[in-house]
Amino acid sequence: MAAKLGIEVDLIPTDWRRGADPAAIETKLAEDRSHRIKAVCVVHNETSTGVTSRDPDVRKAIDAAKHPALFMVDTISSLASIDYRHDEWGVDVTVAGSQKGLMLPPGLSFNAISEKALAAHKTAKLPRSFFDWSEMIASNASGYFPYTPATNLLYGLAEAIDMLHEEGLDAVFARHQRHAEATRRAVRAWGLEIFALDAREYSASLTAVLMPAGHDADRLRKIILDAFDMSLGTGLTKLSGKVFRIGHLGDFNDLTLMGTLAGVEMGLGLAGVPVKKEGVQAAMDYLASCAQAPARKVA
Amino acid sequence: MAAKLGIEVDLIPTDWRRGADPAAIETKLAEDRSHRIKAVCVVHNETSTGVTSRDPDVRKAIDAAKHPALFMVDTISSLASIDYRHDEWGVDVTVAGSQKGLMLPPGLSFNAISEKALAAHKTAKLPRSFFDWSEMIASNASGYFPYTPATNLLYGLAEAIDMLHEEGLDAVFARHQRHAEATRRAVRAWGLEIFALDAREYSASLTAVLMPAGHDADRLRKIILDAFDMSLGTGLTKLSGKVFRIGHLGDFNDLTLMGTLAGVEMGLGLAGVPVKKEGVQAAMDYLASCAQAPARKVA
Amino acid sequence: MAAKLGIEVDLIPTDWRRGADPAAIETKLAEDRSHRIKAVCVVHNETSTGVTSRDPDVRKAIDAAKHPALFMVDTISSLASIDYRHDEWGVDVTVAGSQKGLMLPPGLSFNAISEKALAAHKTAKLPRSFFDWSEMIASNASGYFPYTPATNLLYGLAEAIDMLHEEGLDAVFARHQRHAEATRRAVRAWGLEIFALDAREYSASLTAVLMPAGHDADRLRKIILDAFDMSLGTGLTKLSGKVFRIGHLGDFNDLTLMGTLAGVEMGLGLAGVPVKKEGVQAAMDYLASCAQAPARKVA
Amino acid sequence: MAAKLGIEVDLIPTDWRRGADPAAIETKLAEDRSHRIKAVCVVHNETSTGVTSRDPDVRKAIDAAKHPALFMVDTISSLASIDYRHDEWGVDVTVAGSQKGLMLPPGLSFNAISEKALAAHKTAKLPRSFFDWSEMIASNASGYFPYTPATNLLYGLAEAIDMLHEEGLDAVFARHQRHAEATRRAVRAWGLEIFALDAREYSASLTAVLMPAGHDADRLRKIILDAFDMSLGTGLTKLSGKVFRIGHLGDFNDLTLMGTLAGVEMGLGLAGVPVKKEGVQAAMDYLASCAQAPARKVA
């Protein structure tokens, strides 16, 4: 996207099974003595791989390199599902959307921006109009928008935020972690491999699963859609056919997760993928143990 | 209800675990030489027990006794979920509601009435006003209602009927049978007992399950509600605490059923009820086998 | 309705253009030395005529006659639109519904009952089942209903009550009075006659208008429906064709009233009813004067 | 907007009270021998002034100048309210949105593009990503979107299009013309001036009205909002305070228009603007005459 907009991009190639590499970022920035690099861009939770980058470590890497680059983070599939702290983690630009953890239809996007980003914006030369912060900031002062606002979604947003606070953000994050762990236990019990390699980077909002060699993930997805009316995420670009994704974010509870995992387990059988039929049981054992633990007794 | 309205009721006491007894009805009618009995009232699908009475056999019993009594059937929890035929089965009055198989909020009730019932109504002496057919029939001729109609629900009803016809009534009934069978396999695999005793009378819209002696069904229900936000039906009156009910009717599919059964299995464990943790697996095996069978390939 | 339910009814015949007659009620009760009369039943706001009975005066009449009859009031088309006080006015049974001033679809009905009514209910012999208070009171103690509740409407009711309190009940009642007065000014400016004869009994939620002799109200209603997609109320039974009704209750403001009155004025012209085209202007003059007055500046 | 995106813009300054000037466009294009001009951009219906440009005449001007420039038209506030013909009028790029004549919330935007525009797009160098047609065209082939689609609005769009076809596009356009004419008659009867000067360019979806000298349009708008809860459009930039706008587009009928005009007439009085109180009457006279005419009898 950045390249398409005419920005010179220095992509740090990594294994897709790992998140952004703080060490590589530090090295790259340290080498950039003339400060040609203007921003470090990271996706917090990569929707296509189920890998959550360690943003605080990226911040530390930038600081260690004593580099003035802005730190920009895409939180589309993490905000309100996975703990994220714009100010505390020293992020300069955060991008988010309404359609994932905020449980709304698509149609709203959010930017959180630091003073430093705002200053950079004032001298930036990239052409922009609709996405120009200046007009938004000017209008927002009086509670208005520079363009026709999606008033319906703003009402929905107020309700979604109320719902999140009613449950409590900590409880919301814990719920997503619980569902992710239950999902991983199911995946392992099936004998399949979680795509993310580093346990510190497991996503709490979705889990990507590697298909065994010789089995097509898209065929599995079609079988599950036809038999159980459930649409799983596909593997994107180079993961096409090799990975399927189980989403567990937003307005989701233990039993919707169990319905989801049952659909996957039955689908794996129908597709003839050689797995042990023990994933649903493993997930139930974990969820039941969580329900028993005193930590759940809070609310 | 009938007794409260001043009607003399001759209740045929039966085991709650069985449906209306055609033989007992025939005997009772045959003894009634003076034709004091005005109507035989049967609940098609008893929501509190998960027993579906064999209405065609009841009709045959009335005919065999050569008795002129009206045949009245309550189809609240069966209409549009379990096959039911007002005309073909010779029913005189059918009562239904919007809030079960028709997938709507409560607020509409329906009566299907035979010519014979209509004639009886004209000479009936029971006081009635709102529930008087005369005004409804008079108004309906011009497409109106004698009282303020629930227009919103009538729009919803039109949509619900479209949805049922899109799926096809045969497919809708088969889906409910499939979910009922999957549920029963789960119950048996847990080592628990299905409340309904006669396989011909198993309900396709809900399954009542007997708790083992010494275990309180309402405690189990509370544990499941607290842990998994799922509300199961309670045992009514003399079944209180002894039975819990699993509903599987209306807008429901294989994966919502699996979420439901997973909640029950986990809840049974949390409540310390001695069961085998094999119910969910048994239900999945059955549903997967159905998905594989060519019969499912119709749509 | 009462007669149909087998109750002996002593109807006090009155001019339909006037409300319940407190003097006639007092006389009737005073003559009833043996207290055979069990209840005085009054419609607070008569939807078919736009006449609001003076309930406090009816209460005084009952008290003056020193008669123990219960006082029962139907507030279907007045509750939450016109001031009404169950306790203060000494009413024993109040009946209301969700579909008028409470701005909801039909489907909920409410009873407010005095201790005296509750005592009478315990010894009453009229057959009843669904409408029996005993089961409702028993269930309500634990927050439940004896039958399937219309949960969707209960959520809507909570919201409707919030909306009424946000505006303030006094402001809600004043708004309805303002719209009724504006409507009456329009009717008079057209040269037509308000059906209600006594200014103390003008309804604040609807206004019935007499058609000039030789003009059919139902033809006018059809012309307005066809031309402007607005459905006015018809005259009922003996008023059929002689009266049309302009509703101004519930979720309604000055401009929806003006749209309504404009539709009536244009329709009267299209129907060839000889009126002065000055009604809309008269209503606007009144509403504008209200908007200017300091009383409106409250909120 | 174009200038902000880095495009060299040659703005043809005109009186805001008139639409795009075909003669000026022809002259400008004729002078451009080297074909440096790449596109002629016109707003079909200017929302801020109530002026509808004569797009077919603009097309003729481009043709007369024998200039290869693309013809691009913004139809945000005209599509589905005012007749518009992308192919017939030889438009290369049409831009539209969901939130006006299509009666939906904001959130969808539409581009209709000619083969010529598509060819130009392939060699265009302006940086773009989200607004790049290539990915949309590639995804649309299989019925998908390159980004998360607003599925909810797509369902709404299908319903909106059904509604428009049920009424008939000709009837929809005629309805908007009727409401615009009624509004103009009201404005003239008040003694106020329509902002658009050329009758051929009167907008059918909104009417901008000039305030008399010495009266502030925004004060009037505030008075109307406070008194009648109706929000009129403000004058933008250099028209600020001098113009107010009456919208009459989308899901709108004769009586909602009359409510609107009554609010304006009452508000003008409250604001002390010297007008004749004859606007509402003039609009009603016109609408009633339309309702009487045989042309309306079609449906």
Side-chain angles (χ1 to χ4, degrees):
Chain A
M1 264 169 49
K4 283 182 152 199
L5 293 171
I7 294 167
E8 194 182 335
V9 177
D10 188 348
L11 191 72
I12 302 182
T14 58
D15 182 352
W16 281 30
R17 301 179 71 173
R18 297 184 184 276
D21 180 349
I25 290 169
E26 185 177 340
T27 305
K28 181 76 75 177
L29 291 174
E31 289 167 3
D32 177 41
R33 303 258 162 78
S34 58
H35 295 172
R36 288 195 65 227
I37 294 171
K38 298 304 174 206
V40 174
C41 296
V42 171
V43 173
H44 184 217
N45 183 71
E46 176 53 54
T47 317
S48 58
T49 59
V51 174
T52 304
S53 285
R54 290 163 287 139
D55 291 345
D57 292 347
V58 175
R59 175 74 260 172
K60 278 177 207 154
I62 300 171
D63 292 344
K66 295 192 173 122
H67 196 287
L70 295 166
F71 184 23
M72 300 184 175
V73 183
D74 167 340
T75 66
I76 301 288
S77 60
S78 63
L79 193 80
S81 300
I82 301 174
D83 197 7
Y84 179 79
R85 294 157 191 260
H86 174 81
D87 289 322
E88 191 177 323
W89 294 355
V91 181
D92 293 299
V93 179
T94 297
V95 176
S98 55
Q99 78 273 19
K100 300 269 183 186
L102 291 170
M103 306 174 287
L104 293 166
L108 293 180
S109 180
F110 311 92
N111 283 182
I113 51 183
S114 70
E115 288 299 322
K116 188 174 161 189
L118 198 54
H121 155 265
K122 277 172 189 153
T123 58
K125 297 194 187 72
L126 200 68
R128 64 219 128 124
S129 171
F130 184 76
F131 293 123
D132 191 341
W133 292 335
S134 310
E135 293 188 49
M136 184 60 84
I137 291 169
S139 289
N140 279 188
S142 59
Y144 286 90
F145 280 77
Y147 304 105
T148 306
T151 316
N152 54 327
L153 292 178
L154 293 172
Y155 279 107
L157 179 62
E159 188 65 26
I161 291 173
D162 281 354
M163 289 167 68
L164 290 166
H165 284 308
E166 247 174 57
E167 184 174 355
L169 275 181
D170 284 347
V172 170
F173 297 149
R175 171 166 55 84
H176 285 82
Q177 293 292 356
R178 183 171 78 247
H179 293 164
E181 177 61 25
T183 301
R184 289 190 297 266
R185 291 187 182 213
V187 172
R188 290 189 198 110
W190 290 324
L192 296 179
E193 200 175 330
I194 295 157
F195 188 70
L197 287 175
D198 186 337
R200 295 172 302 172
E201 296 176 345
Y202 285 154
S203 168
S205 50
L206 83 147
T207 299
V209 183
L210 259 182
M211 284 296 274
H215 291 275
D216 181 13
D218 287 338
R219 185 173 162 266
L220 170 70
R221 291 175 56 250
K222 187 179 177 346
I223 284 170
I224 291 174
L225 180 61
D226 289 350
F228 305 116
D229 200 20
M230 177 167 71
S231 173
L232 295 176
T234 185
L236 298 174
T237 64
K238 77 177 183 189
L239 296 181
S240 179
K242 296 180 182 155
V243 148
F244 67 90
R245 296 178 285 142
I246 302 172
H248 33 73
L249 89 167
D251 182 21
F252 209 75
N253 69 15
D254 286 16
L255 301 192
T256 41
L257 176 65
M258 288 318 307
T260 303
L261 296 177
V264 174
E265 183 163 318
M266 291 190 287
L268 287 164
L270 291 172
V273 182
V275 295
K276 278 175 284 178
K277 291 183 177 179
E278 295 169 12
V280 163
Q281 191 60 57
M284 283 198 292
D285 288 346
Y286 177 69
L287 292 178
S289 75
C290 293
Q292 213 150 23
R296 277 293 290 290
K297 301 276 149 72
V298 175
Chain B
M1 263 171 49
K4 284 182 151 200
L5 292 172
I7 295 168
E8 193 182 335
V9 177
D10 188 348
L11 191 72
I12 303 182
T14 57
D15 182 352
W16 280 29
R17 302 180 70 173
R18 297 185 186 277
D21 180 350
I25 290 170
E26 185 175 341
T27 304
K28 180 77 74 177
L29 291 175
E31 289 166 3
D32 177 38
R33 303 258 160 78
S34 59
H35 294 171
R36 289 195 64 226
I37 294 172
K38 297 305 173 205
V40 174
C41 297
V42 171
V43 173
H44 185 217
N45 183 71
E46 176 52 55
T47 317
S48 58
T49 60
V51 174
T52 304
S53 284
R54 291 164 285 138
D55 291 345
D57 291 347
V58 175
R59 176 75 262 172
K60 278 178 205 150
I62 301 172
D63 291 345
K66 294 194 173 118
H67 195 287
L70 295 168
F71 183 23
M72 300 185 176
V73 182
D74 167 339
T75 67
I76 302 287
S77 61
S78 62
L79 194 81
S81 301
I82 301 173
D83 197 7
Y84 178 80
R85 294 154 192 263
H86 175 81
D87 289 322
E88 193 178 322
W89 295 355
V91 181
D92 292 299
V93 180
T94 297
V95 176
S98 54
Q99 78 274 20
K100 300 267 184 189
L102 291 170
M103 306 174 286
L104 293 165
L108 293 179
S109 180
F110 311 92
N111 283 181
I113 51 182
S114 70
E115 287 299 323
K116 188 174 164 189
L118 199 53
H121 154 264
K122 278 173 187 152
T123 59
K125 296 196 189 71
L126 199 69
R128 62 219 129 125
S129 171
F130 184 76
F131 292 125
D132 191 342
W133 292 336
S134 309
E135 292 188 49
M136 185 61 85
I137 290 169
S139 289
N140 280 188
S142 58
Y144 285 89
F145 280 76
Y147 304 104
T148 306
T151 316
N152 54 326
L153 292 179
L154 292 172
Y155 278 106
L157 179 62
E159 188 65 26
I161 291 173
D162 282 353
M163 288 166 68
L164 290 167
H165 283 309
E166 246 174 58
E167 185 174 356
L169 274 182
D170 284 347
V172 170
F173 297 150
R175 171 165 56 83
H176 285 82
Q177 294 291 358
R178 183 171 78 246
H179 292 164
E181 176 62 24
T183 302
R184 290 190 296 265
R185 292 189 180 211
V187 172
R188 289 188 197 110
W190 289 325
L192 296 179
E193 200 177 329
I194 295 157
F195 187 72
L197 287 175
D198 186 335
R200 294 172 304 171
E201 296 176 344
Y202 285 155
S203 168
S205 50
L206 82 147
T207 299
V209 183
L210 260 182
M211 282 297 275
H215 291 274
D216 180 13
D218 287 338
R219 184 173 163 263
L220 170 70
R221 291 174 56 250
K222 187 179 176 347
I223 284 170
I224 291 175
L225 180 61
D226 289 349
F228 306 116
D229 199 21
M230 176 166 72
S231 172
L232 295 176
T234 184
L236 298 174
T237 62
K238 74 176 183 188
L239 297 182
S240 180
K242 296 179 182 157
V243 147
F244 65 91
R245 296 179 284 142
I246 301 172
H248 33 73
L249 90 167
D251 183 21
F252 209 74
N253 70 15
D254 286 15
L255 302 193
T256 41
L257 177 65
M258 289 317 309
T260 304
L261 296 177
V264 175
E265 183 163 318
M266 291 190 287
L268 287 164
L270 291 172
V273 181
V275 296
K276 278 176 283 177
K277 291 184 177 177
E278 295 168 12
V280 163
Q281 191 60 59
M284 283 198 293
D285 289 346
Y286 177 69
L287 292 177
S289 75
C290 293
Q292 211 150 25
R296 276 293 291 288
K297 301 279 150 69
V298 175
Chain C
M1 264 170 48
K4 285 182 151 199
L5 293 173
I7 294 167
E8 193 183 335
V9 176
D10 188 348
L11 190 73
I12 304 183
T14 58
D15 183 352
W16 281 29
R17 303 181 68 173
R18 295 185 186 278
D21 181 350
I25 290 169
E26 185 177 340
T27 304
K28 180 78 74 179
L29 292 173
E31 289 167 3
D32 177 39
R33 303 257 160 80
S34 59
H35 294 172
R36 291 196 62 226
I37 295 172
K38 298 304 174 207
V40 175
C41 296
V42 171
V43 173
H44 184 218
N45 182 71
E46 176 52 55
T47 316
S48 58
T49 59
V51 174
T52 305
S53 285
R54 289 163 288 139
D55 291 344
D57 291 347
V58 175
R59 176 74 262 172
K60 277 178 206 152
I62 301 171
D63 291 345
K66 295 190 172 123
H67 195 286
L70 295 166
F71 184 24
M72 300 185 174
V73 183
D74 167 339
T75 67
I76 301 287
S77 60
S78 62
L79 193 82
S81 300
I82 302 173
D83 198 6
Y84 178 80
R85 292 153 192 263
H86 174 82
D87 289 322
E88 192 178 324
W89 295 355
V91 181
D92 292 299
V93 180
T94 297
V95 176
S98 55
Q99 77 274 22
K100 301 269 183 188
L102 290 171
M103 307 174 288
L104 293 166
L108 293 179
S109 181
F110 310 92
N111 282 182
I113 51 184
S114 69
E115 288 299 322
K116 188 174 161 188
L118 199 53
H121 155 265
K122 278 170 187 155
T123 59
K125 298 194 187 72
L126 200 68
R128 63 220 129 122
S129 171
F130 184 75
F131 293 124
D132 191 341
W133 292 335
S134 309
E135 294 189 48
M136 183 61 83
I137 290 169
S139 290
N140 280 189
S142 59
Y144 285 90
F145 281 76
Y147 304 106
T148 305
T151 316
N152 55 328
L153 293 178
L154 292 173
Y155 279 107
L157 180 63
E159 187 66 26
I161 291 172
D162 281 353
M163 289 167 66
L164 290 166
H165 283 310
E166 247 174 57
E167 185 174 354
L169 274 182
D170 285 346
V172 170
F173 297 150
R175 170 164 58 84
H176 285 82
Q177 294 292 358
R178 183 171 79 247
H179 291 164
E181 176 62 25
T183 302
R184 290 190 296 266
R185 291 189 181 211
V187 172
R188 290 189 197 110
W190 289 325
L192 296 178
E193 202 175 328
I194 295 155
F195 187 71
L197 286 175
D198 186 336
R200 295 171 303 171
E201 297 176 345
Y202 285 154
S203 167
S205 53
L206 82 146
T207 299
V209 183
L210 261 181
M211 283 296 274
H215 291 276
D216 181 13
D218 285 339
R219 185 174 162 265
L220 170 69
R221 291 174 56 250
K222 186 181 176 348
I223 285 170
I224 291 174
L225 180 61
D226 289 351
F228 305 116
D229 200 19
M230 176 167 72
S231 172
L232 295 175
T234 185
L236 299 174
T237 63
K238 76 177 184 189
L239 296 181
S240 178
K242 294 179 183 158
V243 148
F244 66 90
R245 296 178 285 143
I246 302 172
H248 33 74
L249 90 166
D251 182 20
F252 209 75
N253 70 14
D254 287 14
L255 302 192
T256 40
L257 176 65
M258 289 316 309
T260 303
L261 296 177
V264 175
E265 183 163 319
M266 290 191 287
L268 288 164
L270 291 172
V273 182
V275 296
K276 277 177 282 177
K277 292 183 178 177
E278 294 169 13
V280 163
Q281 191 60 59
M284 284 198 291
D285 288 348
Y286 177 69
L287 292 177
S289 75
C290 293
Q292 212 152 23
R296 278 292 292 286
K297 302 278 149 73
V298 175
Chain D
M1 265 169 47
K4 283 180 152 202
L5 293 172
I7 295 166
E8 192 181 336
V9 177
D10 187 347
L11 190 72
I12 303 182
T14 57
D15 182 352
W16 280 28
R17 302 181 68 174
R18 295 184 186 278
D21 181 349
I25 290 169
E26 185 175 341
T27 303
K28 182 76 74 177
L29 291 173
E31 287 168 4
D32 176 41
R33 302 260 160 77
S34 59
H35 294 171
R36 291 195 61 227
I37 295 171
K38 297 305 173 205
V40 174
C41 297
V42 171
V43 173
H44 184 218
N45 183 70
E46 177 51 55
T47 316
S48 58
T49 60
V51 174
T52 304
S53 284
R54 290 162 289 139
D55 291 345
D57 292 348
V58 174
R59 176 75 260 172
K60 278 178 206 151
I62 300 171
D63 292 345
K66 297 193 169 116
H67 195 286
L70 295 167
F71 184 23
M72 300 184 175
V73 182
D74 167 339
T75 67
I76 302 286
S77 61
S78 62
L79 194 81
S81 300
I82 302 174
D83 197 6
Y84 179 79
R85 293 154 192 263
H86 174 81
D87 289 323
E88 192 178 322
W89 295 355
V91 181
D92 293 299
V93 180
T94 296
V95 177
S98 56
Q99 78 274 22
K100 301 270 182 186
L102 291 170
M103 306 174 288
L104 294 166
L108 293 179
S109 180
F110 311 93
N111 282 182
I113 52 182
S114 69
E115 288 298 325
K116 189 174 160 189
L118 199 53
H121 154 265
K122 278 170 188 156
T123 59
K125 297 193 190 73
L126 201 67
R128 63 219 128 123
S129 172
F130 184 76
F131 293 123
D132 191 340
W133 293 334
S134 310
E135 292 188 50
M136 184 61 84
I137 290 169
S139 289
N140 281 187
S142 59
Y144 285 89
F145 280 76
Y147 304 104
T148 306
T151 316
N152 55 327
L153 292 178
L154 292 172
Y155 278 106
L157 180 62
E159 188 65 26
I161 290 173
D162 281 354
M163 288 167 68
L164 290 166
H165 283 310
E166 248 175 54
E167 184 175 356
L169 274 182
D170 285 347
V172 170
F173 297 150
R175 171 166 56 83
H176 284 83
Q177 293 292 356
R178 183 171 80 248
H179 292 164
E181 176 62 24
T183 302
R184 291 190 295 266
R185 291 188 181 212
V187 172
R188 289 189 198 110
W190 289 324
L192 295 179
E193 202 176 329
I194 295 156
F195 187 71
L197 287 174
D198 187 336
R200 295 171 304 172
E201 298 176 344
Y202 285 154
S203 168
S205 51
L206 83 147
T207 299
V209 183
L210 260 181
M211 283 296 275
H215 292 275
D216 181 13
D218 286 339
R219 186 174 161 262
L220 170 69
R221 290 175 55 250
K222 185 179 178 348
I223 285 170
I224 291 173
L225 180 61
D226 289 349
F228 306 116
D229 199 19
M230 176 167 71
S231 172
L232 295 175
T234 184
L236 299 175
T237 64
K238 76 176 184 188
L239 296 181
S240 178
K242 296 181 181 156
V243 148
F244 66 91
R245 296 178 285 143
I246 302 171
H248 32 73
L249 89 167
D251 182 20
F252 208 75
N253 69 14
D254 287 16
L255 302 192
T256 40
L257 177 65
M258 289 316 308
T260 304
L261 296 177
V264 175
E265 184 163 317
M266 291 191 287
L268 287 164
L270 291 172
V273 182
V275 296
K276 278 176 282 177
K277 291 183 177 179
E278 294 169 13
V280 163
Q281 190 60 58
M284 285 199 291
D285 288 347
Y286 177 70
L287 292 177
S289 75
C290 292
Q292 211 152 25
R296 279 291 292 286
K297 302 277 150 71
V298 175

